[in-house]
Amino acid sequence: MGAILPRHVAIIMDGNGRWAERRGLARHAGHREGVPVVRMCVEECVRHGIGALTLFAFSSENWGRPEAEVANLMTLFFDALEREVDDLDRNGVRLRVIGDRHALSVRLQGRVADAERRTAGNTRLALQIAVSYGGRWDIVQAARRLAAEVGAGSLRAADIDETRFGGALALGDVPDPDLFIRTGGERRISNFLLWNLAYTELWFTDALWPDFDAAALGAALEDYAGRKRRFGRA
Ligand code: FPP
């Protein structure tokens, strides 16, 4: 593989439902099958020395899915957090959930806060799981936060620049993703990190998320290593 590694990889994990439906299984079987793939990505990032990984697990729009599927996904997140937090901690992973966490059950909010607290001091991999997240929601919450500071007199509107605004976003202290991966065949951003993806290299694969493996991730990294990044410059 090329020597140039992304510092931050962002992934839309798509295709669980289709993976299950093709096998005549309920959609939640596909989501369940997606959990070990999350684990593989975390392990591979740690192994390669990639410093940050952000995964889109549940969008603001996903609340519109059938109640049973939403409930199943929330249970899956809860159980996975409970099961994995020790290993994440041991491997130096700092876990954070980004998104409108007030939309989550109090029980899940508690579990998230606990996992974040336990792993807060880790520095090997910054792992962000986006749950109840939308790129537009993120921009609006940043605007609201800065507006409150202006209202309180602690910030001048004229001092709001791109750095300041970016710092108020959910990924405020994480560098922008260098590489974006979407599985499942669709070629769109779907309201993921709208601000942060401005200059990110995009990579799409038809592989459904449960079929995405270390070799496929390696292919994405290899492709990235060959890209010439110009950030709008000549
Ligand atoms: C998209 O597939 C996937 C999701 C909405 C859920 C992603 C969740 C996991 C991979 C489970 C594990 C996550 C964590 C953080 C432990 P889809 O249902 O939209 O698939 P489709 O496009 O085939 O319908």
Side-chain angles (χ1 to χ4, degrees):
M1 182 184 308
I4 305 158
L5 279 170
R7 285 186 306 169
H8 181 182
V9 177
I11 308 182
I12 295 186
M13 312 182 283
D14 198 12
N16 294 343
R18 276 166 288 159
W19 183 93
E21 281 159 11
R22 282 177 197 175
R23 286 164 177 74
L25 302 170
R27 292 174 60 83
H28 70 83
H31 296 315
R32 209 169 43 229
E33 202 69 21
V35 177
V37 184
V38 170
R39 184 177 238 280
M40 175 279 290
C41 287
V42 170
E43 286 169 357
E44 287 298 294
C45 283
V46 168
R47 190 170 75 79
H48 285 294
I50 293 168
L53 174 66
T54 301
L55 302 172
F56 207 0
F58 192 87
S59 71
S60 312
E61 293 72 32
N62 285 156
W63 290 111
R65 291 194 176 195
E67 211 173 301
E69 185 177 348
V70 171
N72 261 311
L73 274 166
M74 293 300 150
T75 304
L76 202 65
F77 298 149
F78 189 91
D79 292 348
L81 266 180
E82 185 156 79
R83 208 176 41 243
E84 304 289 345
V85 69
D86 281 342
D87 250 19
L88 292 173
D89 193 28
R90 252 197 308 275
N91 284 293
V93 179
R94 182 191 77 187
L95 174 81
R96 280 202 205 150
V97 168
I98 59 169
D100 182 11
R101 66 177 65 199
H102 301 297
L104 308 179
S105 72
V106 172
R107 202 169 88 100
L108 182 52
Q109 285 184 47
R111 173 67 64 215
V112 165
D114 179 56
E116 288 179 336
R117 224 177 357 254
R118 280 189 53 193
T119 62
N122 294 335
T123 55
R124 211 156 160 205
L125 173 69
L127 172 63
Q128 290 69 233
I129 309 280
V131 181
S132 192
Y133 177 88
R136 289 180 177 176
W137 166 85
D138 196 359
I139 290 169
V140 169
Q141 70 80 27
R144 198 180 289 148
R145 208 189 293 183
L146 294 175
E149 285 183 43
V150 172
S154 55
L155 175 67
R156 292 189 320 154
D159 289 335
I160 299 175
D161 56 11
E162 290 187 14
T163 304
R164 189 102 197 190
F165 196 88
L169 291 162
L171 289 186
D173 60 351
V174 182
D176 286 342
D178 300 299
L179 173 63
F180 162 95
I181 296 172
R182 181 175 188 148
T183 63
E186 311 283 5
R187 269 117 177 106
R188 50 177 176 257
I189 305 291
S190 296
N191 200 19
F192 197 24
L193 306 160
L194 293 180
W195 173 283
N196 315 76
L197 292 175
Y199 287 103
T200 303
E201 297 295 327
L202 309 179
W203 194 81
F204 298 93
T205 171
D206 291 336
L208 304 176
W209 181 252
D211 294 326
F212 188 70
D213 57 13
L217 178 60
L221 294 175
E222 198 156 337
D223 186 75
Y224 172 82
R227 304 260 182 122
K228 189 166 164 23
R229 305 189 72 194
R230 295 192 290 123
F231 298 95
R233 296 182 296 263

